[in-house]
Amino acid sequence: DPYNARTVSERSNLPLERIRHEFHATRQVLKDTIWRLPAERYSEIANLPWGDRASIADMIRIFSHHEHQHYAEIVAHMGLFS
């Protein structure tokens, strides 16, 4: 998808440790923000990083599915669990 392609392109020359740090820091901010939100706000519409809009509940589902997709790609690429 265009968002991931742009993100990969922007970071392709960065040291792996910096990329890992950015990933973990961003993920932690997202988790902290979600945990602090009252459940009644989960139906509110939010802007997604790639330009779409969705409810916060849908955003959580999308991110969870997306993370699982990346995990599966990494596992397949590395030949793990085959």
Side-chain angles (χ1 to χ4, degrees):
D1 71 79
Y3 176 79
N4 276 341
R6 188 182 81 241
T7 302
V8 168
S9 173
E10 291 170 350
R11 288 171 172 71
S12 63
N13 293 320
L14 296 177
L16 180 58
E17 197 52 45
R18 178 172 169 190
I19 294 169
R20 282 185 182 148
H21 174 76
E22 286 181 3
F23 169 79
H24 290 294
T26 301
R27 190 168 187 271
Q28 190 61 51
V29 168
L30 176 63
K31 287 175 15 180
D32 291 347
T33 301
I34 290 169
W35 282 115
R36 283 194 309 267
L37 277 178
E40 59 269 11
R41 294 197 54 200
Y42 283 12
S43 62
E44 290 180 15
I45 302 299
N47 294 320
L48 303 177
W50 51 92
D52 292 339
R53 293 173 52 82
S55 71
I56 293 171
D58 285 340
M59 178 185 69
I60 294 167
R61 280 191 284 277
I62 291 166
F63 282 5
S64 296
H65 176 72
H66 192 74
E67 242 185 67
H68 181 74
Q69 284 179 310
H70 282 300
Y71 170 77
E73 291 169 354
I74 292 166
V75 166
H77 176 75
M78 296 176 73
L80 300 174
F81 309 115
S82 43

